[in-house]
Amino acid sequence: MRAFYTLSILPLISSVFVYANIVSAEASTQYLSAYTNQVLDKKLSTLLGPQAKFEITQFNNTFDRIKIDNQILLASKDGQYLFWGKVIDTSSRADLIELANQQHRQALVASIPREKLLTYTAKKEQHKLTIFTDIDCPFCRKLHTQIKDLNQQGVTVDYVMLPRGKAGSVAFIKTVNALCAANPQAAMDSAMHNGNVESSTQANQTCVNNLKAQQALAQTFGFSATPTILFANGEIVPGLMTIKEILNKLNTL
């Protein structure tokens, strides 16, 4: 297969956006600057144009990982071939593109400042989950009813809020009010139960900025659907999962 479909790649090009409040500069820099491939860099610049922004990291002895906007691709180290979609290892039957995505997500997960997120902490923590959620999402609400049981099973849950609206929208204001509440967990429980947050709750700019940062984090991951469950190894499951399914998944990691 020759280089790839150039016209398919070009619309993906845009400035790589990493929100400073969410992805730490140090962790991101270590991840992105630990490896260089000047031959591949030159060929990609020729293919995509001098203004294109992309990141090259090492994947294995055969391929390098390329990040263009929120898309992960693989390339031969000599830059001759560029792959997108599925790349199947016929021995392990693994999808190498998905493995490359998982490794990329792992680096992002490791750099998230957890104090910025709404966390439901297990007393005897054995596992951590990151869930991208929305107060107005019916399946998110159903998943939320399982949070306490997950905590009892040793699973800490970090919420990344992804309301269906930009700053100033009803969904955004509702979410930021929950984050700004004196007891954010209790406010979120109430919001997930009936879709409302107490009107006495007052948002402040710190909470507004925090929610914007969480939306930017979702964009960095390339997530738009809720709920999206992100496991520590970088695997994702979009949609609702039962407690049994989540625990079975965690025990296989």
Side-chain angles (χ1 to χ4, degrees):
M1 182 176 73
R2 181 64 181 163
F4 184 58
Y5 302 104
T6 305
L7 292 179
S8 297
I9 297 174
L10 292 178
L12 298 174
I13 300 168
S14 67
S15 298
V16 176
F17 176 68
V18 178
Y19 199 90
N21 285 343
I22 284 293
V23 180
S24 72
E26 181 179 359
S28 180
T29 300
Q30 289 175 351
Y31 171 61
L32 298 175
S33 64
Y35 177 77
T36 58
N37 182 335
Q38 294 181 353
V39 173
L40 178 56
D41 186 282
K42 183 176 180 180
K43 288 198 173 184
L44 286 175
S45 295
T46 300
L47 175 67
L48 303 175
Q51 302 303 316
K53 294 184 181 297
F54 53 84
E55 300 162 2
I56 302 173
T57 52
Q58 189 170 21
F59 179 66
N60 60 20
N61 292 331
T62 304
F63 299 115
D64 282 345
R65 181 193 302 105
I66 313 300
K67 180 176 182 286
I68 304 175
D69 196 11
N70 293 320
Q71 299 290 327
I72 299 295
L73 301 86
L74 293 177
S76 57
K77 291 183 178 294
D78 62 1
Q80 187 69 17
Y81 299 101
L82 190 61
F83 303 95
W84 184 33
K86 289 183 179 293
V87 177
I88 306 300
D89 184 323
T90 56
S91 297
S92 66
R93 299 186 180 182
D95 179 356
L96 300 186
I97 292 287
E98 176 54 26
L99 289 179
N101 270 291
Q102 288 179 24
Q103 291 178 6
H104 176 65
R105 294 184 204 117
Q106 276 183 297
L108 290 177
V109 167
S111 66
I112 297 174
R114 297 289 167 173
E115 69 277 5
K116 298 284 187 180
L117 306 182
L118 178 58
T119 299
Y120 290 81
T121 305
K123 289 184 178 179
K124 298 181 180 179
E125 183 181 294
Q126 300 177 41
H127 302 284
K128 280 188 177 182
L129 279 181
T130 305
I131 300 178
F132 292 73
T133 192
D134 172 24
I135 291 173
D136 295 323
C137 158
F139 288 114
C140 297
R141 292 184 185 179
K142 190 168 183 178
L143 181 59
H144 185 81
T145 64
Q146 304 177 122
I147 298 298
K148 289 183 179 179
D149 290 333
L150 284 171
N151 288 165
Q152 291 175 358
Q153 295 292 327
V155 181
T156 289
V157 176
D158 288 320
Y159 267 159
V160 177
M161 302 307 302
L162 188 55
R164 293 286 185 255
K166 297 181 180 180
S169 68
V170 173
F172 186 96
I173 293 172
K174 185 189 302 183
T175 305
V176 81
N177 282 344
L179 294 176
C180 276
N183 186 333
Q185 285 83 1
M188 187 60 63
D189 291 342
S190 175
M192 285 294 196
H193 177 69
N194 57 36
N196 296 314
V197 180
E198 293 182 7
S199 58
S200 60
T201 302
Q202 295 296 320
N204 59 52
Q205 193 59 43
T206 298
C207 292
V208 171
N209 291 339
N210 185 21
L211 181 52
K212 289 180 179 179
Q214 292 186 42
Q215 290 179 309
L217 175 63
Q219 182 181 5
T220 302
F221 275 92
F223 297 161
S224 58
T226 56
T228 295
I229 303 173
L230 175 64
F231 294 88
N233 70 338
E235 290 188 57
I236 61 170
V237 175
L240 182 64
M241 295 181 75
T242 65
I243 291 179
K244 183 178 180 180
E245 290 171 334
I246 291 173
L247 293 176
N248 286 342
K249 183 68 175 176
L250 288 169
N251 289 331
T252 64
L253 300 183

